[in-house]
Amino acid sequence: MSKANISRRGFLKGAAAFGGICGFPAVVPSSVFGQGAPSNKIVMGAIGTGSMGMGDLNGFLNKDEVRVVAVCDVDRRHRENAKNAVNGKYRNSDCGSYLDFRELIGRGDLDAVITALPDHWHAVPSVMAAKAGLDIHGQKPLARSIREGRAICDAVHRYGRVWQTGSWQRSVAHFRRACELVRNGRIGHVAYVEVGLPTGGTRGPQPEIPVPDWLDWDFWLGPAPWRPYCNFGGNGCHWDWRWIMDYSGGQLTDWAGHHIDIAHWGMDLDDTGPVEIEGKGDFPKNGLYDAPPTYRFRCKYANGLEMVVANNQQVPQGAKWFGEKGWIHVSRGGLSASDEKILREVIGPDEVQLYNSRDHLQNFIECVKSRKLTITPVETAHRSISVGLLGEIAMLTGRKIRWNPETEEIVGDPAASALLGRAYREPWTL
Amino acid sequence: MKRLISIILAAGLTATLASDVSAEKISLDDLSAWRGPTGAWMIAGDAVLNPQNERQLSPKAGKGVMINGPSGSTSNIITKEAWGDVSLHIEFVVPQGSNSGVYLMGRYEIQVFDSWGVAEPQHSDCGGIYQRWRNDRGFEGRAPRVNASKAPGEWQSFEAVFRAPKFDATGRKIANARFVEVKHNGVLVHENVEMTGPTRAATWENDEKATGPLMLQGDHGPVAYRNIVITPLAPEPKPKYPLKALIVDGQNNHNWKGTTPVLKQLLEETGLFTVDVATTPGQGQRMDGFAPEFARYDVVVSNYTGDEWPAATKAAFEKYMDGGGGLVVYHAANNAFPNWAAWNEMIGLGGWGGRNEKSGPMVRWRNGQMVLDHSPGRGGSHGPQHAFQLVTRNNEHPITQGLPEKWMHASDELYSTLRGPAKYMTLLATAYAAPDKGGTSEHEPMLFTVNRNGGRVFHTALGHDTAQLKSVGFIVTFQRGTEWAATGMVTQTEVPDDFPTADEVRLRTKNTANVPAGYGKEIVTWEFDKDRQALWAIEEDIRTSAGGRLLQIEAAMVKAMTDPSCTYAGRQWVCRMLRGMGTAQSVPALAAMLKDAKLSHMARFALQDMPAAEAGAALIAALDEVEGDLKIGVIGSLGLRGEESAAAKIAPLMQSENRMMAEAAIRALSHFSNREAGMALVQTQVAPELEALRLDAILMCTDTMLARGRTEFAAGIYERMTGAEYPVFIRLAAYGGLVRARKEQAAGTVVELLKEENEHLRLAAAKFVAEMPGEAATKAFAEQLSSLPAATQVVLIGALESRGDKAAADAVARAASSGDEAVAVTAVRALSTIGDASNVGMLAEMSVRGGATGRAAVDSMQRLGGDDVNAALAAIVGGQSDAAVRANVIDVLVARRAGEAMGALTGAAADGDGKVRQAAYKALGSLGGRDELPKLVEMLLATRDGSERGGIERAINAIAPRLDAADAGVVIKALNRADADAKARLLGVLPRFGGDEALNAVRFHVRRSDGEVKKAGIRAMADWPDAGPLQDLLIVATNQSDESMHVIALRGYIKLCTQPANRASSATTELLAKAFPAARRVDEKKAVLAALVRYPCAESLKLAESCVGDAALRQEAEIAVAKIKEALINKSLSATASREPNTTGNALDGNTGTRWTTGRPMKPGDWFTLDLGSEAAVKKIILDTRNSGNDYPRGYEVYVSFDGGEWGKPVLVGEGDNPITELVFEKPVHTRFIKMVQTGSSDSWHWSIHTLKVEFE
């Protein structure tokens, strides 16, 4: 095989002899690396094509370097919609569509997958894709539990996969700017950070209703505990699963992957975590939703840094670092500081320069080619959501949690440790 | 670590030691048993008093005796061997007045002294246990019970039974060192004496260990020793848990019926005790039958004061205590039995019941030590209840170990003037009885221990009623103290998070009460669509409960779950709860559910991560009882639980025809790392489509083995799996493992991988290069660089840069000259990280090449680290290289802000090359300072070339703002020597300095010059940083006939009028009004109108209105009138603040439900500034914080300003003590801006303003 003909999938060629975990390819696809011909494209599949999934899918469909060949959803309407979008883009009818993600991963011709699923469905497909040698663009938060997040990290690391999380704020200039100013000491030593996230809501008890014919409800539930189908919010089980703790942790775990992620970036804490977590959530007293709409917890890091995470009625939304010489606050609304002068500061060439990505999805594509770490690699995503999940455990137990970020164990509280993972509903295993 | 091992060994060898105790006599035939240097110590046959000097010993020839030399002053001597628990026999002889000591473990001294004939021996007399020493004070010495000394020159003996201190696995001390007994010349002089630490002048005075050598003191006087026999003791039997505690109550002038159940609960919740209660008959009733079997208990807790116990009961209690029993004296229990002598010795101190000076002394802490106060007076008193601070006086005792030095106790009676024998006491904590709380002004003992005969007593004076028993300080010391009294040990070494601080009382808020009958009955009927408030209440209850209550809630939930009528939803909910709190008691019910198709998952939800071992056993048992999906689920949970003993059962399932079952089995084994799992994974043939998963599982197992330190074994497996017969992604993972296992030894493997044809392996190799440790590895990689294809070189250089190891710098520097541009650019960029000053020359030369390489070289020079990089760059500037190179390097020095290169840059300003000179001017402007200014001024005068002067002028302009007004002198002086062009340029610089001297120079030239110089002077005035030239500009504007000079002057005048000057609006209006008659064009008049709007007042309104009639100005005038009126009429308030500036509107909206707040506890310096919109006379400002009652400013300073720029001194200073703070000015203050600065602080309360009202005159 000459160098020019190395297939992106060629590295998996040997796997053909083994059949493959999900049916490794018997035939090497024609995708070729770096020559500009149509077959040089990164071949992708999309798992989960609801509102978030379609956003990601359309983003990648607009990239010339990408060819999407398969889509998957347990909602037939989502599936058809995505398939039509792909076929419409390429003006053909080639797009494969699947209800079961295992079949999509098992196609054997993919280089990468994008996943946009409810949080409780993040770990199984991600680990499976990594072990099948695929690169992954996955939505935040990385996982529903810390044990799941570690399993994803391990699989991605073990097989040298490229991972990007949808924490796109890192690819936005003013967020990077805020973090560079903090990292380079423009507000002096920082001992206190505030992270404000949105406030959630509640919903009354909901009657059981028949499962619609377009939905595979049992598959949607997957590893989560069984419950009868009901209307979660405006759109069946879609979107509003966010407020039910079997599937997500509410606004806290939704947004931890954004603003805690940015707070960590500004403090160079991407590879570690807090050592103490303590706080209180106002768990709804009644109704369908059980994630706390309002919450506040405090994290202490080994270096003495204290971070308060709370909903935006208690601290302003975004990340706000308080230093000896002033503060810097960043949110999607922009960047502000205790003194305008701070914002005019120039970062010199010999100072800390953070990873510069201006186009989040493009960064993923480039890294799939170069095999470098993306702007939001898997370990970073894991550490960002771990803070939210530890906050959740501290609030659920009503106790201060001691955390060892090296071993990722809760210290001296076996009962709280039980909340680090969850048993999957059979036949799913991790 | 050593200590830990020795404890484990000791524990493991208990049986052996117990049957094989061997006495060891230290040979005194020579000094070989002792560590060197042994000083003057010598072996003799005997030691007798020197007949010439009875203060000295004379040796006799022979062996078996050791003497500390002729002078009696040499080093101490220490055995080579170390021991823990021992019995010791030792004989010694001292001459008259001499002094020595026997230190067990080198730390705990039995005093050797000539105490013959001393009537009342002290701790410093022979046979005493010497005192400890801290902060220049002694404490805790123990006098011998009797003086058993013989005359000087006579051989004497000690027999000691000694227990070493004990430590837990983390190294924390759990039991004190203890002299079980000491006999002096056969007479018992000590029994059961605990040592909280080493005594004075020990070899190791600041640490304690599990073993230590014997040390004999040799530097205090002549002494001789012989017959040293050390017998290691078998370890003491471990206490039997749970410990049995007995609380005695029945009479007490306190709420014993309330406190006893709480005390019981506090002991039970530790998990260490079972508790019985013995209640006496009531007051005045017959006490005959009260005879608890004390001997059945490890500890007795007394919550009793009242009638005397029967004599037989008292005798039984004394016997129990003397035989090693434990007693906890709780608060008023020390009022009991004022006439029972043994009791009073046990409790150390007591109060009331007629106690007075005859009962014994008071114990106080004075001048850093415990003292006995024998002054007369009643025993026992206290003032009104109040919260008070305890001071830990000894934190080496296991009871107080780790506690803060100072901690608050809840409002309680502070027991004072307690009196008693106060023998055998170890004081742990005191509290200051403040006179303003009816106290004694003394530090009174609150917590202490008494070791009397064989017994252990813990005495706490705290805890008047149940409210005080919530105080965490009481709880922790009570729980620890009771364990110590029972066993001599404290295994509860953790200090809980909610322990009080020096200034904050902490109460246990967790609910520990029993749950009522029928608790949780709502669970049984709950459905998914029903109200879940009752379940929420249980969830919240779990979060706020502790101890036995949690177990009761669990039991109630399990009861509901196992109710045959319980709904599915109810059972599911219980399993969710059990996940975070389930214990062994719920396992049987959950185990039964594992077999239920609908409930099996939820049972595993609770069992999978449950700490109890029973949960794992239940899952293993279920393996044989379930099939299909349920079995798959159980296998999955066993895997994640790490139940490795299930490996043998799971292994055959790898071959199951059910594919999900086989997958689950492989995954489960991948989480194990025992031999069975590993062998099964390696040896079992699986379906082809599962082969990749099997290999993945082998890799996971191997990763675990590596993490557990089985490095070589793991490396062997990884190595085999790198073979070409495996899929590339498996090989890639195996290489990763190999690199982690072999570390730098894997460098060769990685080098080979770099040459791989497969791109993924090559790129992975680069990652390994970046991560592998060691300089040797760097060299191995660097050596390969030139032999690799260009594309691989790019990758490798990037990886070498990531390593940050300078050992690769030479190889990378060579690659920088590569013909391949991508290689060259990558190498040049990498040098910024791994290069140093030696690469500067090459980079500088490359910087002029242009293109990507040139840009990279400039970039690299800018980022290059190292102390001497700037010096190297400066050398190039002064060197012979190409002019373009020098110009580039000058730019780099600017980017690097290299102030130390100033000499070279100044030199470069005289360079022969124009581009270099311009670069140098720019650099001097950027980096220069006071020293460079005169040089630049001289340069300006020295040249006539316009572009040179332009560059120099820009540099001076750049420097000036960094200097002071006084520095302008250099420029002013130069004006005299300057030609017209230079004068104009220099005048233009002066506004950057400002100041009177500069302004006078400008005035001079405006008056005396003409043409461009005069114009430059007027422009300088117009640019002036303050209002200094205001009148000058008006005069010029009025009188100057030259149109352009007139315009410059008038525009400058208007601008200067609007600079901040803290001037009233009317005054500024008056100044602006003067511009009107001077103005010759309508443009300037419009400019005045635009400026007026910023100064709303009656005068400015009048002035604007007067312009409405002028057709040319009407439009602007009408706008100005409208805006000024708006500001005057609406008095629109706005505000800004130091914190949360976006929410200041909440304080101004008149709504008391919204607020502005600092969002953090009050700190001095937070401010809130009001802008009234226009000037007004303010009488009063009212800050209303009633809806956050404590958030009023503790202190404040109020400042006023017309322009919000200058504030001057505060006009009002005060302190807040009320949710409504009224800021009342002495007389109305005329102002526009008002700044309120908070000057107080609070640990918990924010500063908030719900509504703010301003009252105007």
Side-chain angles (χ1 to χ4, degrees), chain B residues 450-702:
Chain B
V450 179
N451 283 47
R452 177 184 174 272
N453 299 341
R456 285 175 300 273
V457 182
F458 170 66
H459 189 143
T460 175
L462 307 176
H464 176 67
D465 203 337
T466 52
Q468 286 77 21
L469 302 193
K470 288 185 179 163
S471 186
V472 177
F474 172 84
I475 294 171
V476 170
T477 51
F478 176 72
Q479 289 172 334
R480 285 177 164 197
T482 309
E483 187 188 2
W484 174 83
T487 65
M489 302 201 304
V490 177
T491 58
Q492 307 165 73
T493 53
E494 287 287 334
V495 179
D497 294 331
D498 57 352
F499 198 85
T501 62
D503 45 26
E504 197 178 339
V505 171
R506 297 273 174 81
L507 301 179
R508 267 288 151 80
T509 52
K510 294 271 181 187
N511 186 358
T512 55
N514 291 332
V515 301
Y519 185 95
K521 62 180 187 306
E522 301 87 352
I523 299 167
V524 178
T525 54
W526 186 66
E527 293 287 358
F528 285 109
D529 59 355
K530 292 289 184 308
D531 186 322
R532 55 185 301 281
Q533 192 132 11
L535 303 188
W536 175 87
I538 301 176
E539 289 170 18
E540 196 65 12
D541 197 2
I542 292 169
R543 278 191 273 280
T544 53
S545 292
R549 182 180 177 86
L550 274 177
L551 293 172
Q552 292 171 5
I553 295 172
E554 184 190 3
M557 291 194 301
V558 171
K559 183 166 176 255
M561 181 175 76
T562 48
D563 185 321
S565 68
C566 187
T567 59
Y568 171 74
R571 289 180 172 149
Q572 200 198 62
W573 178 84
V574 171
C575 290
R576 283 164 197 276
M577 294 298 104
L578 292 177
R579 170 171 167 245
M581 63 171 303
T583 67
Q585 69 168 319
S586 55
V587 170
L590 293 167
M593 281 163 54
L594 283 172
K595 289 170 252 174
D596 181 319
K598 267 185 95 181
L599 289 165
S600 187
H601 170 227
M602 293 315 298
R604 288 190 295 105
F605 212 73
L607 289 169
Q608 180 172 292
D609 297 294
M610 190 185 282
E614 287 85 345
L619 286 164
I620 293 173
L623 259 188
D624 295 329
E625 301 176 17
V626 293
E627 288 303 328
D629 279 358
L630 301 196
K631 189 163 191 160
I632 292 172
V634 170
I635 293 167
S637 287
L638 285 169
L640 290 174
R641 226 185 128 78
E643 293 289 346
E644 296 189 339
S645 65
K649 274 189 178 179
I650 292 173
L653 302 172
M654 291 169 72
Q655 293 174 316
S656 168
E657 286 180 11
N658 178 339
R659 153 118 179 230
M660 291 293 274
M661 178 93 70
E663 267 189 40
I666 297 170
R667 283 206 191 98
L669 294 175
S670 75
H671 294 298
F672 300 162
S673 64
N674 56 342
R675 194 182 140 77
E676 288 77 6
M679 293 303 283
L681 285 168
V682 170
Q683 292 175 350
T684 309
Q685 191 170 2
V686 299
E689 68 271 22
L690 294 178
E691 182 61 9
L693 188 61
R694 184 182 73 98
L695 295 176
D696 174 69
I698 293 173
L699 286 168
M700 274 181 75
C701 271
T702 314

Side-chain angles (χ1 to χ4, degrees), chain B residues 132-146:
Chain B
R132 305 190 56 210
W133 194 257
R134 191 66 46 86
N135 301 328
D136 297 328
R137 286 184 180 82
F139 62 107
E140 284 187 5
R142 189 64 56 87
R145 289 182 178 185
V146 291

Side-chain angles (χ1 to χ4, degrees), chain B residues 904-1217:
Chain B
L905 293 172
T906 309
D911 197 283
D913 185 273
K915 267 176 78 179
V916 174
R917 287 197 303 276
Q918 287 292 347
Y921 298 150
K922 199 173 151 201
L924 290 172
S926 295
L927 305 174
R930 187 164 287 123
D931 292 345
E932 282 67 38
L933 180 67
K935 292 174 190 161
L936 283 164
V937 169
E938 289 309 318
M939 286 179 207
L940 185 83
L941 296 184
T943 178
R944 293 213 156 265
D945 183 289
S947 84
E948 298 288 332
R949 280 187 164 179
I952 297 163
E953 184 188 349
R954 280 191 293 278
I956 296 173
N957 269 313
I959 289 179
R962 299 196 290 271
L963 302 182
D964 301 329
D967 294 311
V970 175
V971 179
I972 295 165
K973 284 199 191 91
L975 281 167
N976 299 330
R977 297 185 281 133
D979 57 44
D981 173 69
K983 272 196 174 110
R985 291 177 191 274
L986 292 173
L987 286 170
V989 169
L990 287 174
R992 311 265 174 185
F993 291 97
D996 291 343
E997 200 191 344
L999 183 55
N1000 284 334
V1002 173
R1003 280 178 181 137
F1004 177 85
H1005 282 88
V1006 169
R1007 272 202 300 277
R1008 299 290 173 85
S1009 311
D1010 48 25
E1012 287 306 310
V1013 175
K1014 186 182 187 93
K1015 197 190 248 181
I1018 296 170
R1019 192 172 276 124
M1021 284 179 168
D1023 286 346
W1024 213 253
D1026 58 45
L1030 209 50
Q1031 290 310 315
D1032 304 79
L1033 285 166
L1034 189 62
I1035 291 165
V1036 171
T1038 308
N1039 300 336
Q1040 182 53 243
S1041 57
D1042 181 278
E1043 179 72 5
S1044 73
M1045 292 192 200
H1046 159 75
V1047 170
I1048 295 168
L1050 190 55
R1051 294 240 152 199
Y1053 176 78
I1054 297 168
K1055 194 181 96 188
L1056 291 192
C1057 284
T1058 61
Q1059 300 286 69
N1062 204 8
R1063 202 189 286 122
S1065 291
S1066 55
T1068 304
T1069 301
E1070 196 183 330
L1071 288 173
L1072 284 168
K1074 290 180 183 165
F1076 267 110
R1080 293 173 201 165
R1081 307 189 314 169
V1082 74
D1083 289 3
E1084 279 71 39
K1085 292 180 179 172
K1086 287 180 180 175
V1088 170
L1089 283 169
L1092 272 183
V1093 174
R1094 292 164 60 187
Y1095 303 95
C1097 58
E1099 291 81 1
S1100 60
L1101 180 64
K1102 202 173 145 200
L1103 183 56
E1105 280 171 344
S1106 73
C1107 297
V1108 174
D1110 184 336
L1113 293 174
R1114 174 168 297 142
Q1115 205 185 341
E1116 284 75 12
E1118 282 177 346
I1119 293 172
V1121 167
K1123 283 190 176 169
I1124 294 170
K1125 276 185 175 169
E1126 159 96 16
L1128 286 177
I1129 294 165
N1130 286 350
K1131 282 213 177 357
S1132 57
L1133 285 183
S1134 61
T1136 168
S1138 60
R1139 295 182 59 82
E1140 309 302 341
N1142 299 329
T1143 59
T1144 51
N1146 291 342
L1148 308 176
D1149 59 6
N1151 178 354
T1152 54
T1154 62
R1155 64 167 173 166
W1156 166 83
T1157 175
T1158 52
R1160 64 156 189 201
M1162 233 176 275
K1163 297 234 163 37
D1166 288 343
W1167 51 262
F1168 188 94
T1169 296
L1170 270 180
D1171 177 358
L1172 304 177
S1174 63
E1175 285 158 22
V1178 179
K1179 284 199 313 196
K1180 188 201 265 193
I1181 296 174
I1182 302 162
L1183 308 178
D1184 183 342
T1185 314
R1186 277 175 297 180
N1187 281 339
S1188 306
N1190 287 301
D1191 286 6
Y1192 56 85
R1194 296 300 186 270
Y1196 54 81
E1197 288 174 355
V1198 182
Y1199 299 79
V1200 293
S1201 165
F1202 284 115
D1203 59 8
E1206 289 182 25
W1207 295 99
K1209 287 184 177 162
V1211 295
L1212 196 60
V1213 177
E1215 287 177 3
D1217 57 0

